Amino acid sequence: MTATKLLVLGVVRGFGRAHGYRVRAELLSWGIDDWANVKPGSIYHALRQLAKSGLLAATEIADWPGRVDYSVMPEGEKEFFRLLVEALERPEHRDDMLSAGLALMPALTRDRAVCALSTRLAVLEGQGAVLRKDPEAAEAGKPPPHLGELWTMRTRYVDLGVEWTRELLERLTSGEYEMAGEHEEAFGMPGAWRTPVEP
């Protein structure tokens, strides 16, 4: 549920206050069904669990039976940033976590995003160095020759990750994308998103 948790916290935070249908509609408008393993039912479940754990405040709307509006609590704000930074820093995460981190990256200041991605780059470069040594060490044990394809595949994935991360860092440091703190209505500012249109 970690990618779902990050995305739900990010959307509620972006609106300042939102109900489940609005959160679901927003995430679907981002195409999450193509790049994240987030099902519509898991969004509502995440909202309830985040409220139960004190990360979101849940407010029942008296004039609209059954509707609950959510807003991010101070602990939810901390958890949102912890998950977001971790999603960008740690290459061992599944793709849906990185995708969620990228979708919400503008909630970070430019410096913080550069710092997180620089950490990611250093980890990937370290992984590449280790992978390039492993086939030599494995020669002593004489594994079946086709197993070398595992190292080839993993090394190429790491190399691709290094290249992409470097390019993203270049774009960020050159000023691409509007990041938190650069404009009062920027994507990353709490409550700065458009006012939700009621269904």
Side-chain angles (χ1 to χ4, degrees), residues 4 7 24-40 42-43 96 99:
T4 305
L7 288 164
R24 178 180 174 271
E26 185 67 21
L27 288 172
L28 289 175
S29 78
W30 296 2
I32 62 158
D33 41 347
D34 290 332
W35 52 262
N37 187 24
V38 177
K39 306 294 181 222
S42 66
I43 294 169
D96 62 343
S99 297

Side-chain angles (χ1 to χ4, degrees), residues 55-132:
L55 301 177
L56 292 178
T59 306
E60 292 189 24
I61 307 303
D63 296 340
W64 196 329
R67 175 170 156 171
V68 178
D69 280 3
Y70 297 91
S71 56
V72 179
M73 299 292 287
E75 286 302 311
E77 183 87 354
K78 289 179 191 171
E79 180 68 357
F80 167 72
F81 280 109
R82 185 190 71 77
L83 290 171
L84 178 54
V85 167
E86 191 175 280
L88 296 175
E89 281 183 344
R90 294 177 56 189
E92 66 272 14
H93 276 307
R94 296 182 342 210
D95 288 344
D96 62 343
M97 193 62 184
L98 174 59
S99 297
L102 290 172
L104 295 163
M105 182 178 69
L108 296 173
T109 63
R110 188 171 304 279
D111 287 345
R112 188 63 189 98
V114 165
C115 181
L117 288 164
S118 295
T119 298
R120 179 183 200 86
L121 179 60
V123 171
L124 286 167
E125 289 172 335
Q127 289 175 350
V130 169
L131 285 168
R132 283 179 175 78

